[in-house]
Amino acid sequence: MSEITLLKHLARSLMTGQPIAAQDPHRLHWHLMPTTGLMNDPNGFIQAHGRYHLFYQWNPFACKHGAKWWGHVSSPDLVQWKHEPVALIPSEDYEINGCYSGSAVLKDEKIHLLYTGNVKFPDGSRTAWQCLAVEQPDGTYEKQGPVIALPEGYTGHVRDPKVWFHDNHWYMVLAAQSPNLKGKVLLYRSDDLQQWELKGEIAGSYVNQLTEFGYMWECPDLFSFNDTDILMCCPQGLAAKAYEFLNLYQAGYFVGSLDYETASFSHGKFHELDNGFEFYAPQTTETEDGRRLLFGWLGLPDDNELAQPTVKYGWVDCMTCPRELTFQDGKLYQNPVSELTELRQGNGVLWSGIAKEAPSFEGVSAELQISAAGPFTLSLRGDARLAWDGEKLTLTRQNWRTQEEETRYWFGQLDKLHLLLDASSIELFINDGEACMTARYFPDHASKMLRFSGDHAVSIHHWLLSACVVE
Ligand code: FRU
């Protein structure tokens, strides 16, 4: 379909869909979510022209995956966002089944988008083009077409270019799949974002010391802290272990060192980035003040995603809050960006005492900092439960499809908990960001309260958070 035809359908979808979505009590108050339809990966996250820009995978027409668009929002401060013109619409032959994920860089004072043109054939096979689009003065993007064709020796599953500048060259990591269905990450180099040279495979299943490690590694991202290089990626096809890899797909990282000339990446073991239920396809950017920020998709494909109750209101999934990454003692730490304190209403309430004597706190849109002298349980609006037993922290909720209880785990010594809650999301930061647990949940809207239990002392700081709509 032409762009014009697609835009006519978009107008109808927004006009009919928005009033229905607005009635959903599970709409979020301060997270980015789709106006209508399905939102997935954060794309093109960049600070440029004095604003943060975030693009996102979007199916504006339905709560299902399909021919994705790139929506676009921008913000001066990561708190107040506004809608920008839609950036990419899948109208050309080389992207007809979706403008899939990618990234943004600033070149010649213009944002350049690199994304995957996804093309599916009637026999079920597919191909992929890595494409370029350039920012125009009116805030729209002009497509320049494909710049990388399917590399030889890989299946049609090649996607998600993440580009950065290093030592006078542009570099790209790209997810790929070998013919025997092993996930790989490729490294490319360019001088102009147009001509790209494949340098080699830097990581993957059966690369370096890894043996079987999944059939596809989606959304790779490579960045550094001083001399340490971090490769983030989302392996699909890892078997669940007792307490690891419990979600259908994983998001995690390797710590190592990239030799840009030989395209070799020596790295340690895979660390999961999140111990919760929904966290996928994270993407980072470096800010002008030198911080490494991250957005993740607060969703997970192919599992129970479409059993979420928001689907009947015509929308599904959302972004995590913006987070800052730091690197300490060989590990990534994640914390909410400091800008989010702007959402706090007043000074909040401080309370200390025995957990079971704590008052109930409102938790629809709230922030809590908790420290505890011993085991305690926190009921989250009667629909999810957080429990610390002295050895492990567990997050338990009802499975949306089967209604059975399901649990995720973190093992360690708990010093501090930092909890960010929105109408249907939980983001938990453990020990100043040493670990995270991220999840959606769908409490009855009438049950708003958080209740502590336990016989040990706790101290709690609670704030209500202001809503922040996208203009
Ligand atoms: C990850 C992903 C990417 C792909 C995009 C399509 O969630 O599958 O690999 O580019 O989503 O929407």
Side-chain angles (χ1 to χ4, degrees):
M1 269 190 254
S2 70
E3 280 207 349
I4 279 292
T5 310
L6 286 164
L7 286 169
K8 289 176 184 169
H9 285 281
L10 175 74
R12 184 189 54 182
S13 179
L14 295 179
M15 286 187 270
T16 57
Q18 243 183 326
I20 299 169
Q23 289 167 21
D24 188 350
H26 294 127
R27 287 294 273 180
L28 297 149
H29 297 284
W30 56 271
H31 281 82
L32 295 167
M33 63 184 157
T35 313
T36 58
L38 180 148
M39 169 188 272
N40 59 302
D41 311 357
N43 291 159
F45 185 23
I46 191 168
Q47 188 181 19
H49 319 313
R51 295 181 74 83
Y52 293 95
H53 293 264
L54 185 72
F55 303 79
Y56 56 89
Q57 288 285 283
W58 187 30
N59 179 357
F61 300 132
C63 292
K64 58 179 192 191
H65 292 273
K68 296 289 167 56
W69 299 37
W70 276 41
H72 179 193
V73 289
S74 77
S75 167
D77 58 4
L78 298 162
V79 177
Q80 302 294 334
W81 293 88
K82 77 172 192 179
H83 288 291
E84 297 288 349
V86 167
L88 298 172
I89 302 175
S91 58
E92 302 295 327
D93 288 348
Y94 56 76
E95 58 184 14
I96 202 70
N97 297 105
C99 299
Y100 272 14
S101 285
S103 54
V105 289
L106 194 65
K107 178 175 177 284
D108 308 327
E109 285 308 303
K110 290 182 191 143
I111 297 177
H112 288 56
L113 305 179
L114 285 122
Y115 68 99
T116 300
N118 182 43
V119 179
K120 291 183 177 167
F121 301 113
D123 67 358
S125 66
R126 62 165 87 195
T127 192
W129 303 92
Q130 310 314 316
C131 307
L132 180 65
V134 180
E135 184 185 25
Q136 300 302 299
D138 65 357
T140 61
Y141 283 79
E142 187 179 273
K143 292 175 190 168
Q144 311 279 303
V147 292
I148 300 178
L150 200 67
E152 245 174 74
Y154 296 93
T155 72
H157 286 277
V158 173
R159 57 178 169 268
D160 309 339
K162 176 77 194 325
V163 179
W164 72 102
F165 195 68
H166 173 86
D167 271 355
N168 288 321
H169 298 285
W170 298 102
Y171 286 89
M172 173 196 291
V173 277
L174 189 62
Q177 185 183 58
S178 59
N180 60 347
L181 310 187
K182 306 298 168 205
K184 310 282 180 183
V185 176
L186 309 181
L187 181 72
Y188 281 81
R189 186 164 86 176
S190 171
D191 289 326
D192 55 7
L193 300 178
Q194 299 271 355
Q195 307 284 328
W196 289 90
E197 179 197 354
L198 175 58
K199 301 289 289 178
E201 280 178 9
I202 59 162
S205 232
Y206 295 97
V207 182
N208 301 326
Q209 75 275 28
L210 291 179
T211 53
E212 180 58 51
F213 214 79
Y215 57 84
M216 183 69 191
W217 290 20
E218 294 188 315
C219 300
D221 189 350
L222 197 138
F223 52 89
S224 54
F225 284 98
N226 299 321
D227 294 336
T228 305
D229 298 311
I230 312 276
L231 175 68
M232 270 183 7
C233 56
C234 294
Q236 300 184 318
L238 303 186
K241 298 186 183 168
Y243 295 105
E244 273 184 305
F245 309 155
L246 295 184
N247 297 333
L248 179 60
Y249 304 139
Q250 319 312 321
Y253 64 97
F254 298 93
V255 177
S257 172
L258 175 65
D259 184 324
Y260 281 78
E261 280 315 308
T262 59
S264 55
F265 180 59
S266 57
H267 61 78
K269 76 178 192 71
F270 180 74
H271 301 268
E272 287 189 78
L273 267 165
D274 197 279
N275 292 60
F277 291 92
E278 280 84 31
F279 181 85
Y280 198 64
Q283 188 177 92
T284 72
T285 194
E286 189 181 357
T287 60
E288 284 157 9
D289 61 5
R291 293 181 295 168
R292 176 64 52 181
L293 302 190
L294 170 149
F295 268 103
W297 174 29
L298 217 171
L300 189 73
D302 301 341
D303 198 3
N304 296 325
E305 185 187 8
L306 302 181
Q308 294 179 68
T310 65
V311 168
K312 61 176 186 293
Y313 291 90
W315 71 284
V316 69
D317 294 328
C318 64
M319 289 294 153
T320 65
C321 72
R323 301 175 180 188
E324 180 175 353
L325 289 180
T326 51
F327 185 64
Q328 299 167 43
D329 306 326
K331 276 174 59 176
L332 284 182
Y333 280 60
Q334 275 183 78
N335 282 293
V337 294
S338 56
E339 286 89 335
L340 289 183
T341 56
E342 287 294 314
L343 292 171
R344 291 175 180 169
Q345 295 181 15
N347 295 327
V349 172
L350 279 166
W351 188 89
S352 301
I354 303 300
K356 65 184 177 200
E357 290 163 9
S360 296
F361 293 95
E362 193 181 319
V364 178
S365 181
E367 176 174 358
L368 280 95
Q369 288 177 344
I370 305 164
S371 55
F376 72 93
T377 301
L378 176 61
S379 158
L380 301 166
R381 302 175 60 197
D383 198 70
R385 199 169 62 245
L386 193 63
W388 164 245
D389 68 3
E391 271 182 4
K392 63 180 181 306
L393 189 68
T394 51
L395 178 64
T396 302
R397 69 171 186 195
Q398 266 189 2
N399 182 290
W400 310 317
R401 200 170 38 79
T402 64
Q403 309 304 323
E404 281 165 18
E405 282 210 333
E406 50 186 359
T407 301
R408 293 293 181 269
Y409 309 83
W410 175 78
F411 289 83
Q413 191 47 53
L414 182 66
D415 296 324
K416 285 183 200 168
L417 274 181
H418 189 182
L419 190 56
L420 289 179
L421 297 168
D422 201 338
S424 53
S425 71
I426 303 170
E427 290 172 90
L428 181 62
F429 300 87
I430 301 166
N431 296 347
D432 291 323
E434 180 186 343
C436 289
M437 294 176 103
T438 305
R440 293 298 297 281
Y441 77 141
F442 300 101
D444 186 306
H445 73 282
S447 77
K448 298 187 167 35
M449 304 311 272
L450 311 172
R451 292 180 214 281
F452 282 86
S453 50
D455 296 321
H456 295 269
V458 289
S459 57
I460 301 160
H461 198 167
H462 170 265
W463 295 264
L464 290 174
L465 298 180
S466 298
C468 150
V469 278
V470 183
E471 286 166 19

